[in-house]
Amino acid sequence: MTIHASLPRRAVAELIGTAALLMVVIGSGIQAADLSRDTGVALVANSLASAIGLGLIITLFGPLSGAHLNPVVTLTSWWARRTGGEGLGGREALVYTAAQTAGAIGGAVLAELMFGHAPGTFSTQIRGGHLLVGEIVATAGLVLVIQGLERIGRPKLIPAAVAAYIAAAIWFTSSGSFANPAGTIARAFSDSFTGIAPQSLPGFVAAQLIGGVLGLALAALLYGGTPRGTQDGPAAPGPGAETLEPVPVSVAEPAGSVGGAGPAGPVNAAYETIG
């Protein structure tokens, strides 16, 4: 169910949702490292907890804000609007990104406090080199999953699909799939299993932005320029091409424009509207 909320309310949802995500990621990493000295076992526990938590958070906050929880996802929504689709305006995108970053840092600090660690201790884990290639791949795949499901008319699958993708990408990418600039910045505040040293931040964030652009380009190449339902009609398929029929989704129009913009973003199409 989609609730057409005001921008401040959506921003609070993004802040709380991103904070919760970082508490899950960092908290499960600390717990796993404390309970097992086997890195493989710790990674299994951390990846499962992160995926389950992410799926639940998207399901809970998706109807409010779209549950972007990630500046890259927010930027792809902003780009979709600029290219004629549904998404966020520039002001909304800035508010979302600020809320996500503040929430992520707050969640990281809370996770540290929960486990008796001194808050504000920076990570000492240097991450760079070939790991940056892993971040590009991880972020491009995340964007492709979200955009691809939107463009084939399967938005209801996004919470489960994103959670499953992150669980897999934590394992198949060399970087561990941070794939989130706000989350990456927040992890610098945790000298734990999931942390990243502050000096590694610029390279990781740059790789994530490159991955986001690559994911958008792949989605446009494979599925067309804008998500289904955002144009007057789908483009005519080429000779011999198979037509992908979208699944009907009931989304009511808002009573009025909120904050100078329409619906909160592409993920909102996954839910019915409260009447």
PDB file of all heavy atoms in Angstrom, residues 171-205:
ATOM      1  N   TRP A 171      28.993 -12.036  -1.458  1.00  0.00           N
ATOM      2  CA  TRP A 171      29.888 -13.169  -1.692  1.00  0.00           C
ATOM      3  C   TRP A 171      30.588 -13.117  -3.038  1.00  0.00           C
ATOM      4  O   TRP A 171      31.775 -13.449  -3.128  1.00  0.00           O
ATOM      5  CB  TRP A 171      29.092 -14.483  -1.577  1.00  0.00           C
ATOM      6  CG  TRP A 171      28.868 -14.873  -0.160  1.00  0.00           C
ATOM      7  CD1 TRP A 171      27.804 -14.550   0.634  1.00  0.00           C
ATOM      8  CD2 TRP A 171      29.755 -15.621   0.658  1.00  0.00           C
ATOM      9  NE1 TRP A 171      27.971 -15.058   1.894  1.00  0.00           N
ATOM     10  CE2 TRP A 171      29.150 -15.731   1.933  1.00  0.00           C
ATOM     11  CE3 TRP A 171      30.989 -16.234   0.440  1.00  0.00           C
ATOM     12  CZ2 TRP A 171      29.761 -16.417   2.989  1.00  0.00           C
ATOM     13  CZ3 TRP A 171      31.596 -16.913   1.499  1.00  0.00           C
ATOM     14  CH2 TRP A 171      30.980 -16.998   2.754  1.00  0.00           C
ATOM     15  N   PHE A 172      29.888 -12.705  -4.102  1.00  0.00           N
ATOM     16  CA  PHE A 172      30.535 -12.852  -5.420  1.00  0.00           C
ATOM     17  C   PHE A 172      31.356 -11.637  -5.836  1.00  0.00           C
ATOM     18  O   PHE A 172      32.057 -11.684  -6.844  1.00  0.00           O
ATOM     19  CB  PHE A 172      29.516 -13.221  -6.506  1.00  0.00           C
ATOM     20  CG  PHE A 172      28.653 -12.115  -7.029  1.00  0.00           C
ATOM     21  CD1 PHE A 172      29.160 -11.135  -7.885  1.00  0.00           C
ATOM     22  CD2 PHE A 172      27.297 -12.066  -6.712  1.00  0.00           C
ATOM     23  CE1 PHE A 172      28.349 -10.131  -8.389  1.00  0.00           C
ATOM     24  CE2 PHE A 172      26.484 -11.058  -7.216  1.00  0.00           C
ATOM     25  CZ  PHE A 172      27.017 -10.095  -8.055  1.00  0.00           C
ATOM     26  N   THR A 173      31.297 -10.529  -5.073  1.00  0.00           N
ATOM     27  CA  THR A 173      32.143  -9.385  -5.392  1.00  0.00           C
ATOM     28  C   THR A 173      33.320  -9.328  -4.419  1.00  0.00           C
ATOM     29  O   THR A 173      33.180  -9.679  -3.239  1.00  0.00           O
ATOM     30  CB  THR A 173      31.371  -8.053  -5.313  1.00  0.00           C
ATOM     31  OG1 THR A 173      30.912  -7.841  -3.977  1.00  0.00           O
ATOM     32  CG2 THR A 173      30.186  -8.064  -6.267  1.00  0.00           C
ATOM     33  N   SER A 174      34.453  -8.859  -4.912  1.00  0.00           N
ATOM     34  CA  SER A 174      35.653  -8.795  -4.084  1.00  0.00           C
ATOM     35  C   SER A 174      35.527  -7.770  -2.970  1.00  0.00           C
ATOM     36  O   SER A 174      36.189  -7.884  -1.927  1.00  0.00           O
ATOM     37  CB  SER A 174      36.857  -8.448  -4.961  1.00  0.00           C
ATOM     38  OG  SER A 174      36.662  -7.203  -5.619  1.00  0.00           O
ATOM     39  N   SER A 175      34.675  -6.766  -3.159  1.00  0.00           N
ATOM     40  CA  SER A 175      34.547  -5.671  -2.196  1.00  0.00           C
ATOM     41  C   SER A 175      33.589  -5.971  -1.055  1.00  0.00           C
ATOM     42  O   SER A 175      33.543  -5.246  -0.065  1.00  0.00           O
ATOM     43  CB  SER A 175      34.064  -4.412  -2.916  1.00  0.00           C
ATOM     44  OG  SER A 175      32.759  -4.608  -3.432  1.00  0.00           O
ATOM     45  N   GLY A 176      32.777  -7.017  -1.195  1.00  0.00           N
ATOM     46  CA  GLY A 176      31.749  -7.302  -0.200  1.00  0.00           C
ATOM     47  C   GLY A 176      30.474  -6.528  -0.423  1.00  0.00           C
ATOM     48  O   GLY A 176      29.579  -6.533   0.410  1.00  0.00           O
ATOM     49  N   SER A 177      30.369  -5.858  -1.572  1.00  0.00           N
ATOM     50  CA  SER A 177      29.144  -5.172  -1.996  1.00  0.00           C
ATOM     51  C   SER A 177      28.639  -4.152  -0.988  1.00  0.00           C
ATOM     52  O   SER A 177      27.571  -4.302  -0.407  1.00  0.00           O
ATOM     53  CB  SER A 177      28.044  -6.195  -2.307  1.00  0.00           C
ATOM     54  OG  SER A 177      26.899  -5.549  -2.832  1.00  0.00           O
ATOM     55  N   PHE A 178      29.405  -3.073  -0.794  1.00  0.00           N
ATOM     56  CA  PHE A 178      28.882  -1.948  -0.020  1.00  0.00           C
ATOM     57  C   PHE A 178      27.753  -1.297  -0.827  1.00  0.00           C
ATOM     58  O   PHE A 178      26.661  -1.103  -0.335  1.00  0.00           O
ATOM     59  CB  PHE A 178      29.987  -0.924   0.248  1.00  0.00           C
ATOM     60  CG  PHE A 178      30.981  -1.331   1.291  1.00  0.00           C
ATOM     61  CD1 PHE A 178      31.443  -2.634   1.379  1.00  0.00           C
ATOM     62  CD2 PHE A 178      31.478  -0.400   2.185  1.00  0.00           C
ATOM     63  CE1 PHE A 178      32.369  -3.002   2.342  1.00  0.00           C
ATOM     64  CE2 PHE A 178      32.407  -0.753   3.152  1.00  0.00           C
ATOM     65  CZ  PHE A 178      32.857  -2.057   3.230  1.00  0.00           C
ATOM     66  N   ALA A 179      28.048  -0.914  -2.075  1.00  0.00           N
ATOM     67  CA  ALA A 179      27.056  -0.460  -3.065  1.00  0.00           C
ATOM     68  C   ALA A 179      26.134   0.657  -2.574  1.00  0.00           C
ATOM     69  O   ALA A 179      24.999   0.761  -3.018  1.00  0.00           O
ATOM     70  CB  ALA A 179      26.223  -1.651  -3.556  1.00  0.00           C
ATOM     71  N   ASN A 180      26.634   1.498  -1.659  1.00  0.00           N
ATOM     72  CA  ASN A 180      25.788   2.524  -1.051  1.00  0.00           C
ATOM     73  C   ASN A 180      26.692   3.620  -0.484  1.00  0.00           C
ATOM     74  O   ASN A 180      27.346   3.404   0.547  1.00  0.00           O
ATOM     75  CB  ASN A 180      24.942   1.889   0.057  1.00  0.00           C
ATOM     76  CG  ASN A 180      23.972   2.861   0.698  1.00  0.00           C
ATOM     77  OD1 ASN A 180      24.169   4.067   0.699  1.00  0.00           O
ATOM     78  ND2 ASN A 180      22.906   2.323   1.269  1.00  0.00           N
ATOM     79  N   PRO A 181      26.757   4.789  -1.110  1.00  0.00           N
ATOM     80  CA  PRO A 181      27.641   5.842  -0.604  1.00  0.00           C
ATOM     81  C   PRO A 181      27.353   6.248   0.842  1.00  0.00           C
ATOM     82  O   PRO A 181      28.287   6.455   1.629  1.00  0.00           O
ATOM     83  CB  PRO A 181      27.382   7.004  -1.565  1.00  0.00           C
ATOM     84  CG  PRO A 181      26.954   6.352  -2.836  1.00  0.00           C
ATOM     85  CD  PRO A 181      26.144   5.173  -2.406  1.00  0.00           C
ATOM     86  N   ALA A 182      26.085   6.374   1.218  1.00  0.00           N
ATOM     87  CA  ALA A 182      25.757   6.747   2.595  1.00  0.00           C
ATOM     88  C   ALA A 182      26.213   5.667   3.570  1.00  0.00           C
ATOM     89  O   ALA A 182      26.805   5.953   4.615  1.00  0.00           O
ATOM     90  CB  ALA A 182      24.253   6.980   2.732  1.00  0.00           C
ATOM     91  N   GLY A 183      25.943   4.420   3.219  1.00  0.00           N
ATOM     92  CA  GLY A 183      26.374   3.315   4.067  1.00  0.00           C
ATOM     93  C   GLY A 183      27.882   3.204   4.149  1.00  0.00           C
ATOM     94  O   GLY A 183      28.444   2.842   5.192  1.00  0.00           O
ATOM     95  N   THR A 184      28.563   3.513   3.050  1.00  0.00           N
ATOM     96  CA  THR A 184      30.026   3.459   3.030  1.00  0.00           C
ATOM     97  C   THR A 184      30.613   4.506   3.968  1.00  0.00           C
ATOM     98  O   THR A 184      31.535   4.215   4.747  1.00  0.00           O
ATOM     99  CB  THR A 184      30.544   3.678   1.597  1.00  0.00           C
ATOM    100  OG1 THR A 184      29.986   2.671   0.744  1.00  0.00           O
ATOM    101  CG2 THR A 184      32.054   3.588   1.539  1.00  0.00           C
ATOM    102  N   ILE A 185      30.091   5.728   3.898  1.00  0.00           N
ATOM    103  CA  ILE A 185      30.557   6.784   4.800  1.00  0.00           C
ATOM    104  C   ILE A 185      30.329   6.372   6.257  1.00  0.00           C
ATOM    105  O   ILE A 185      31.196   6.538   7.122  1.00  0.00           O
ATOM    106  CB  ILE A 185      29.830   8.105   4.487  1.00  0.00           C
ATOM    107  CG1 ILE A 185      30.269   8.620   3.113  1.00  0.00           C
ATOM    108  CG2 ILE A 185      30.098   9.151   5.572  1.00  0.00           C
ATOM    109  CD1 ILE A 185      29.436   9.780   2.593  1.00  0.00           C
ATOM    110  N   ALA A 186      29.155   5.797   6.539  1.00  0.00           N
ATOM    111  CA  ALA A 186      28.836   5.393   7.910  1.00  0.00           C
ATOM    112  C   ALA A 186      29.752   4.284   8.406  1.00  0.00           C
ATOM    113  O   ALA A 186      30.130   4.258   9.586  1.00  0.00           O
ATOM    114  CB  ALA A 186      27.383   4.933   7.981  1.00  0.00           C
ATOM    115  N   ARG A 187      30.143   3.385   7.527  1.00  0.00           N
ATOM    116  CA  ARG A 187      31.001   2.276   7.956  1.00  0.00           C
ATOM    117  C   ARG A 187      32.383   2.754   8.389  1.00  0.00           C
ATOM    118  O   ARG A 187      33.106   2.035   9.081  1.00  0.00           O
ATOM    119  CB  ARG A 187      31.136   1.257   6.835  1.00  0.00           C
ATOM    120  CG  ARG A 187      29.862   0.488   6.526  1.00  0.00           C
ATOM    121  CD  ARG A 187      30.189  -0.708   5.670  1.00  0.00           C
ATOM    122  NE  ARG A 187      29.033  -1.267   4.997  1.00  0.00           N
ATOM    123  CZ  ARG A 187      28.998  -2.512   4.526  1.00  0.00           C
ATOM    124  NH1 ARG A 187      30.062  -3.295   4.653  1.00  0.00           N
ATOM    125  NH2 ARG A 187      27.933  -2.964   3.910  1.00  0.00           N
ATOM    126  N   ALA A 188      32.774   3.958   7.975  1.00  0.00           N
ATOM    127  CA  ALA A 188      34.053   4.510   8.426  1.00  0.00           C
ATOM    128  C   ALA A 188      34.034   4.791   9.924  1.00  0.00           C
ATOM    129  O   ALA A 188      35.095   4.904  10.559  1.00  0.00           O
ATOM    130  CB  ALA A 188      34.371   5.788   7.668  1.00  0.00           C
ATOM    131  N   PHE A 189      32.829   4.891  10.515  1.00  0.00           N
ATOM    132  CA  PHE A 189      32.699   5.163  11.944  1.00  0.00           C
ATOM    133  C   PHE A 189      32.669   3.887  12.780  1.00  0.00           C
ATOM    134  O   PHE A 189      32.347   3.938  13.968  1.00  0.00           O
ATOM    135  CB  PHE A 189      31.425   5.974  12.200  1.00  0.00           C
ATOM    136  CG  PHE A 189      31.489   7.387  11.687  1.00  0.00           C
ATOM    137  CD1 PHE A 189      31.207   7.671  10.362  1.00  0.00           C
ATOM    138  CD2 PHE A 189      31.846   8.431  12.521  1.00  0.00           C
ATOM    139  CE1 PHE A 189      31.270   8.972   9.870  1.00  0.00           C
ATOM    140  CE2 PHE A 189      31.920   9.732  12.047  1.00  0.00           C
ATOM    141  CZ  PHE A 189      31.632  10.004  10.715  1.00  0.00           C
ATOM    142  N   SER A 190      32.993   2.761  12.166  1.00  0.00           N
ATOM    143  CA  SER A 190      32.969   1.486  12.887  1.00  0.00           C
ATOM    144  C   SER A 190      34.237   0.692  12.586  1.00  0.00           C
ATOM    145  O   SER A 190      34.433   0.233  11.457  1.00  0.00           O
ATOM    146  CB  SER A 190      31.738   0.669  12.474  1.00  0.00           C
ATOM    147  OG  SER A 190      31.765  -0.615  13.057  1.00  0.00           O
ATOM    148  N   ASP A 191      35.093   0.540  13.580  1.00  0.00           N
ATOM    149  CA  ASP A 191      36.312  -0.252  13.407  1.00  0.00           C
ATOM    150  C   ASP A 191      35.980  -1.710  13.698  1.00  0.00           C
ATOM    151  O   ASP A 191      36.375  -2.276  14.712  1.00  0.00           O
ATOM    152  CB  ASP A 191      37.417   0.252  14.325  1.00  0.00           C
ATOM    153  CG  ASP A 191      38.778  -0.364  13.972  1.00  0.00           C
ATOM    154  OD1 ASP A 191      38.910  -0.907  12.855  1.00  0.00           O
ATOM    155  OD2 ASP A 191      39.688  -0.301  14.811  1.00  0.00           O
ATOM    156  N   SER A 192      35.204  -2.290  12.770  1.00  0.00           N
ATOM    157  CA  SER A 192      34.706  -3.650  12.969  1.00  0.00           C
ATOM    158  C   SER A 192      34.840  -4.453  11.678  1.00  0.00           C
ATOM    159  O   SER A 192      35.439  -3.999  10.697  1.00  0.00           O
ATOM    160  CB  SER A 192      33.229  -3.603  13.405  1.00  0.00           C
ATOM    161  OG  SER A 192      32.430  -3.055  12.366  1.00  0.00           O
ATOM    162  N   PHE A 193      34.253  -5.628  11.678  1.00  0.00           N
ATOM    163  CA  PHE A 193      34.303  -6.554  10.540  1.00  0.00           C
ATOM    164  C   PHE A 193      33.826  -5.903   9.246  1.00  0.00           C
ATOM    165  O   PHE A 193      34.318  -6.215   8.164  1.00  0.00           O
ATOM    166  CB  PHE A 193      33.421  -7.759  10.898  1.00  0.00           C
ATOM    167  CG  PHE A 193      33.359  -8.836   9.852  1.00  0.00           C
ATOM    168  CD1 PHE A 193      34.444  -9.653   9.599  1.00  0.00           C
ATOM    169  CD2 PHE A 193      32.191  -9.052   9.129  1.00  0.00           C
ATOM    170  CE1 PHE A 193      34.383 -10.657   8.646  1.00  0.00           C
ATOM    171  CE2 PHE A 193      32.119 -10.053   8.176  1.00  0.00           C
ATOM    172  CZ  PHE A 193      33.221 -10.858   7.933  1.00  0.00           C
ATOM    173  N   THR A 194      32.884  -4.983   9.335  1.00  0.00           N
ATOM    174  CA  THR A 194      32.284  -4.378   8.141  1.00  0.00           C
ATOM    175  C   THR A 194      32.797  -2.963   7.868  1.00  0.00           C
ATOM    176  O   THR A 194      32.253  -2.277   7.012  1.00  0.00           O
ATOM    177  CB  THR A 194      30.748  -4.329   8.283  1.00  0.00           C
ATOM    178  OG1 THR A 194      30.418  -3.595   9.463  1.00  0.00           O
ATOM    179  CG2 THR A 194      30.153  -5.721   8.369  1.00  0.00           C
ATOM    180  N   GLY A 195      33.810  -2.514   8.578  1.00  0.00           N
ATOM    181  CA  GLY A 195      34.260  -1.139   8.469  1.00  0.00           C
ATOM    182  C   GLY A 195      35.114  -0.848   7.240  1.00  0.00           C
ATOM    183  O   GLY A 195      35.538  -1.750   6.514  1.00  0.00           O
ATOM    184  N   ILE A 196      35.366   0.436   7.021  1.00  0.00           N
ATOM    185  CA  ILE A 196      36.234   0.894   5.939  1.00  0.00           C
ATOM    186  C   ILE A 196      36.952   2.152   6.423  1.00  0.00           C
ATOM    187  O   ILE A 196      36.338   3.047   7.001  1.00  0.00           O
ATOM    188  CB  ILE A 196      35.436   1.176   4.646  1.00  0.00           C
ATOM    189  CG1 ILE A 196      36.374   1.679   3.536  1.00  0.00           C
ATOM    190  CG2 ILE A 196      34.300   2.152   4.874  1.00  0.00           C
ATOM    191  CD1 ILE A 196      35.684   1.797   2.181  1.00  0.00           C
ATOM    192  N   ALA A 197      38.261   2.210   6.212  1.00  0.00           N
ATOM    193  CA  ALA A 197      39.050   3.342   6.673  1.00  0.00           C
ATOM    194  C   ALA A 197      38.647   4.616   5.929  1.00  0.00           C
ATOM    195  O   ALA A 197      38.322   4.567   4.739  1.00  0.00           O
ATOM    196  CB  ALA A 197      40.536   3.059   6.463  1.00  0.00           C
ATOM    197  N   PRO A 198      38.646   5.764   6.610  1.00  0.00           N
ATOM    198  CA  PRO A 198      38.248   7.019   5.961  1.00  0.00           C
ATOM    199  C   PRO A 198      39.012   7.318   4.680  1.00  0.00           C
ATOM    200  O   PRO A 198      38.436   7.862   3.730  1.00  0.00           O
ATOM    201  CB  PRO A 198      38.536   8.066   7.038  1.00  0.00           C
ATOM    202  CG  PRO A 198      38.394   7.338   8.327  1.00  0.00           C
ATOM    203  CD  PRO A 198      38.923   5.960   8.056  1.00  0.00           C
ATOM    204  N   GLN A 199      40.294   6.960   4.618  1.00  0.00           N
ATOM    205  CA  GLN A 199      41.071   7.260   3.413  1.00  0.00           C
ATOM    206  C   GLN A 199      40.642   6.423   2.208  1.00  0.00           C
ATOM    207  O   GLN A 199      41.004   6.736   1.075  1.00  0.00           O
ATOM    208  CB  GLN A 199      42.567   7.075   3.670  1.00  0.00           C
ATOM    209  CG  GLN A 199      42.980   5.716   4.187  1.00  0.00           C
ATOM    210  CD  GLN A 199      43.102   5.688   5.704  1.00  0.00           C
ATOM    211  OE1 GLN A 199      42.220   6.205   6.397  1.00  0.00           O
ATOM    212  NE2 GLN A 199      44.177   5.117   6.204  1.00  0.00           N
ATOM    213  N   SER A 200      39.866   5.364   2.452  1.00  0.00           N
ATOM    214  CA  SER A 200      39.366   4.536   1.356  1.00  0.00           C
ATOM    215  C   SER A 200      38.025   5.023   0.813  1.00  0.00           C
ATOM    216  O   SER A 200      37.547   4.510  -0.204  1.00  0.00           O
ATOM    217  CB  SER A 200      39.224   3.078   1.821  1.00  0.00           C
ATOM    218  OG  SER A 200      40.470   2.540   2.211  1.00  0.00           O
ATOM    219  N   LEU A 201      37.412   5.996   1.505  1.00  0.00           N
ATOM    220  CA  LEU A 201      36.075   6.445   1.117  1.00  0.00           C
ATOM    221  C   LEU A 201      36.001   7.042  -0.291  1.00  0.00           C
ATOM    222  O   LEU A 201      35.097   6.675  -1.056  1.00  0.00           O
ATOM    223  CB  LEU A 201      35.540   7.462   2.132  1.00  0.00           C
ATOM    224  CG  LEU A 201      35.180   6.928   3.522  1.00  0.00           C
ATOM    225  CD1 LEU A 201      34.694   8.073   4.410  1.00  0.00           C
ATOM    226  CD2 LEU A 201      34.113   5.852   3.418  1.00  0.00           C
ATOM    227  N   PRO A 202      36.895   7.956  -0.672  1.00  0.00           N
ATOM    228  CA  PRO A 202      36.746   8.579  -1.998  1.00  0.00           C
ATOM    229  C   PRO A 202      36.718   7.566  -3.138  1.00  0.00           C
ATOM    230  O   PRO A 202      35.884   7.676  -4.046  1.00  0.00           O
ATOM    231  CB  PRO A 202      37.971   9.505  -2.100  1.00  0.00           C
ATOM    232  CG  PRO A 202      38.304   9.825  -0.683  1.00  0.00           C
ATOM    233  CD  PRO A 202      38.011   8.562   0.075  1.00  0.00           C
ATOM    234  N   GLY A 203      37.609   6.586  -3.098  1.00  0.00           N
ATOM    235  CA  GLY A 203      37.642   5.585  -4.155  1.00  0.00           C
ATOM    236  C   GLY A 203      36.385   4.740  -4.199  1.00  0.00           C
ATOM    237  O   GLY A 203      35.830   4.475  -5.273  1.00  0.00           O
ATOM    238  N   PHE A 204      35.882   4.338  -3.015  1.00  0.00           N
ATOM    239  CA  PHE A 204      34.679   3.502  -2.963  1.00  0.00           C
ATOM    240  C   PHE A 204      33.446   4.267  -3.443  1.00  0.00           C
ATOM    241  O   PHE A 204      32.641   3.748  -4.215  1.00  0.00           O
ATOM    242  CB  PHE A 204      34.462   2.978  -1.539  1.00  0.00           C
ATOM    243  CG  PHE A 204      34.849   1.537  -1.370  1.00  0.00           C
ATOM    244  CD1 PHE A 204      36.131   1.114  -1.687  1.00  0.00           C
ATOM    245  CD2 PHE A 204      33.953   0.599  -0.909  1.00  0.00           C
ATOM    246  CE1 PHE A 204      36.504  -0.201  -1.541  1.00  0.00           C
ATOM    247  CE2 PHE A 204      34.291  -0.733  -0.758  1.00  0.00           C
ATOM    248  CZ  PHE A 204      35.586  -1.140  -1.073  1.00  0.00           C
ATOM    249  N   VAL A 205      33.300   5.517  -2.982  1.00  0.00           N
ATOM    250  CA  VAL A 205      32.131   6.305  -3.392  1.00  0.00           C
ATOM    251  C   VAL A 205      32.175   6.581  -4.893  1.00  0.00           C
ATOM    252  O   VAL A 205      31.147   6.487  -5.583  1.00  0.00           O
ATOM    253  CB  VAL A 205      32.054   7.613  -2.582  1.00  0.00           C
ATOM    254  CG1 VAL A 205      30.978   8.530  -3.143  1.00  0.00           C
ATOM    255  CG2 VAL A 205      31.781   7.317  -1.107  1.00  0.00           C
TER     256      VAL A 205
END
